[in-house]
């Protein structure tokens, strides 16, 4: 497991933007699946965006496509989530997650063994 620390959450109005960051003590040289999840009030946790470090192939939930962008800076051991055109439905606690790649295709149903403590995002109308 790798300790993960998120930051960048906050309160914005509809249409605003935020950039979340997730810093790891180290991601190492092995390929990993990295992802952002969120849990809104009264909702189950859901995957938002993910990336496979071996190819930087990204995947997104349909609800955030064209609005959110996942990226990473391997030199800084940091994963980012750029969130634009935010809407109230994006409100929730956002978590980053990571796991060593063990085969198959990175996705939201992949097993993630490392999780951050979360950062709150609130979007008001």
């Amino acid at each position: 497991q790798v300790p993960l620390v998120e930051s960048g959450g906050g309160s914005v109005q509809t249409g605003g933007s935020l950039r979340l960051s997730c810093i790891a003590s180290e991601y190492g040289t092995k390929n990993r699946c990295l992802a952002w999840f969120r849990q809104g009030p009264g909702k189950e946790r859901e995957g938002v965006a993910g990336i496979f470090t071996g190819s930087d192939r990204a995947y997104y939930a349909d609800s955030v496509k064209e609005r959110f962008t996942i990226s990473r800076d391997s030199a800084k051991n940091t994963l980012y989530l750029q969130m634009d055109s935010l809407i109230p439905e994006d409100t929730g606690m956002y978590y980053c997650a990571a796991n060593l790649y063990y085969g198959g295709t990175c996705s939201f149903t992949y097993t993630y063994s490392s999780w951050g403590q979360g950062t709150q995002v609130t979007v008001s109308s």
Side-chain angles (χ1 to χ4, degrees):
Q1 295 186 351
V2 177
L4 303 173
V5 180
E6 303 98 333
S7 63
S11 297
V12 297
Q13 292 188 328
T14 297
S17 297
L18 286 172
R19 188 175 81 154
L20 307 183
S21 299
C22 175
I23 298 176
S25 57
E26 59 86 24
Y27 281 124
T29 58
K30 295 182 179 180
N31 288 329
R32 294 180 183 270
C33 297
L34 308 175
W36 289 96
F37 290 78
R38 69 185 179 189
Q39 187 165 18
K43 298 180 180 179
E44 294 187 353
R45 187 176 65 194
E46 62 176 349
V48 176
I51 191 167
F52 171 51
T53 63
S55 64
D56 279 337
R57 180 189 69 85
Y59 44 99
Y60 298 91
D62 288 342
S63 59
V64 306
K65 283 180 180 177
E66 308 301 329
R67 300 190 299 120
F68 290 11
T69 303
I70 190 171
S71 62
R72 68 188 185 96
D73 185 331
S74 58
K76 296 181 179 179
N77 290 328
T78 303
L79 180 70
Y80 300 101
L81 184 67
Q82 177 66 42
M83 306 186 294
D84 299 317
S85 302
L86 285 161
I87 59 178
E89 289 75 12
D90 295 321
T91 294
M93 187 70 78
Y94 283 68
Y95 303 89
C96 66
N99 200 74
L100 279 174
Y101 177 69
Y102 54 81
T105 302
C106 288
S107 69
F108 299 130
T109 59
Y110 214 75
T111 299
Y112 292 90
S113 59
S114 298
W115 292 83
Q117 83 291 346
T119 185
Q120 178 67 37
V121 171
T122 302
V123 185
S124 59
S125 57

